[in-house]
Amino acid sequence: MRDPYEILGVSKNATDDEIKAAYRALARKYHPDNYQDNPLSDLATEKMQELNDAYDEIMDERKGKKKKRNQNAGYGNPYGGQQSSFPDIRNLIMMGRIEEAQELLDGVPSDRRDAEWYFLNGSVLYKRGWFDGAYSDFATACRMDPSNPEYRAAFNRIQQQTRGGYQNPYGSPANMGGCSGCDVCQGLICADCCCECMGGDLLRCC
């Protein structure tokens, strides 16, 4: 087959969007439906097949190069070798640039938030100490992709910490019940007020 870029009339430096646009324009021109009951019908079919083959060859080549670059950079899933949908976010998390990773995660549209998104968002929340949100996101990732060992390992780890009573930064240990230090102070102040109304004094400093 001829050079696929030449067939589509684009340069090798063309972007993926430019290649797609060129392919669509030529496909509209040479689609066999445009040549029904026409002596050129067979030629149009051959041309359409050539366009399809050229487009597929270019896309397969580019996907292969992107996957190789990502693997060399260490962005892929370390458990299954799967290609990441968010390699830039993974890299930021690995570098400890949590705020930047969170900004990119927040910018992902809702319809693109797959299992990996919830895993990465849970990882960011975990590093920030927001364990309740991390637990929820890890659980969602496992529900969406139950066979992924990376997501399962993260969820199992936070489950073990939950059973051990990890410290919730907003108050009492998560899922453990009981009172926080603020609850104790408020109770003592209320008790002191009641004592003073009855002529006593529980807390002399108040």
Side-chain angles (χ1 to χ4, degrees):
M1 189 177 73
R2 288 191 296 139
D3 182 354
Y5 291 94
E6 181 182 343
I7 292 172
L8 296 183
V10 296
S11 72
K12 292 186 177 182
N13 295 325
T15 65
D16 289 354
D17 288 338
E18 290 172 338
I19 291 171
K20 289 176 183 178
Y23 167 75
R24 288 169 182 163
L26 291 170
R28 284 194 296 268
K29 179 179 179 181
Y30 291 105
H31 197 283
D33 290 347
N34 299 329
Y35 295 88
Q36 291 182 357
D37 301 324
N38 188 303
L40 299 177
S41 177
D42 291 341
L43 290 176
T45 300
E46 291 179 9
K47 182 65 176 177
M48 193 67 221
Q49 184 61 50
E50 185 182 40
L51 293 173
N52 289 336
D53 291 343
Y55 179 78
D56 289 342
E57 182 177 341
I58 292 173
M59 290 296 105
D60 288 344
E61 178 190 1
R62 292 192 170 201
K63 286 178 183 177
K65 287 182 178 179
K66 287 180 181 177
K67 185 174 182 179
K68 185 175 181 180
R69 282 200 300 269
N70 288 341
Q71 289 175 341
N72 289 341
Y75 293 153
N77 184 337
Y79 288 89
Q82 300 173 6
Q83 185 175 357
S84 171
S85 299
F86 307 101
D88 49 348
I89 296 175
R90 279 182 177 268
N91 193 37
L92 288 172
I93 294 174
M94 289 169 58
M95 295 171 62
R97 295 161 62 179
I98 303 304
E99 292 293 339
E100 295 173 62
Q102 187 70 74
E103 287 182 14
L104 291 180
L105 286 164
D106 291 342
V108 175
S110 298
D111 58 351
R112 283 194 58 215
R113 295 183 179 184
D114 57 9
E116 186 184 13
W117 184 92
Y118 281 98
F119 166 73
L120 295 175
N121 198 62
S123 299
V124 168
L125 295 178
Y126 183 87
K127 288 181 178 293
R128 300 178 79 168
W130 299 351
F131 300 112
D132 289 340
Y135 183 98
S136 176
D137 281 355
F138 288 151
T140 300
C142 288
R143 283 197 303 271
M144 296 176 72
D145 188 359
S147 63
N148 188 297
E150 185 180 25
Y151 309 159
R152 178 59 56 186
F155 183 61
N156 288 342
R157 182 174 63 249
I158 201 169
Q159 269 191 319
Q160 291 173 358
Q161 291 176 316
T162 300
R163 286 194 291 269
Y166 63 72
Q167 186 64 36
N168 185 331
Y170 297 111
S172 60
N175 301 328
M176 295 295 290
C179 299
S180 68
C182 291
D183 294 332
V184 174
C185 289
Q186 288 176 349
L188 288 173
I189 291 172
C190 289
D192 181 58
C193 290
C194 292
C195 287
E196 288 179 354
C197 289
M198 299 176 67
D201 189 9
L202 180 63
L203 300 176
R204 295 183 179 181
C205 59
C206 299

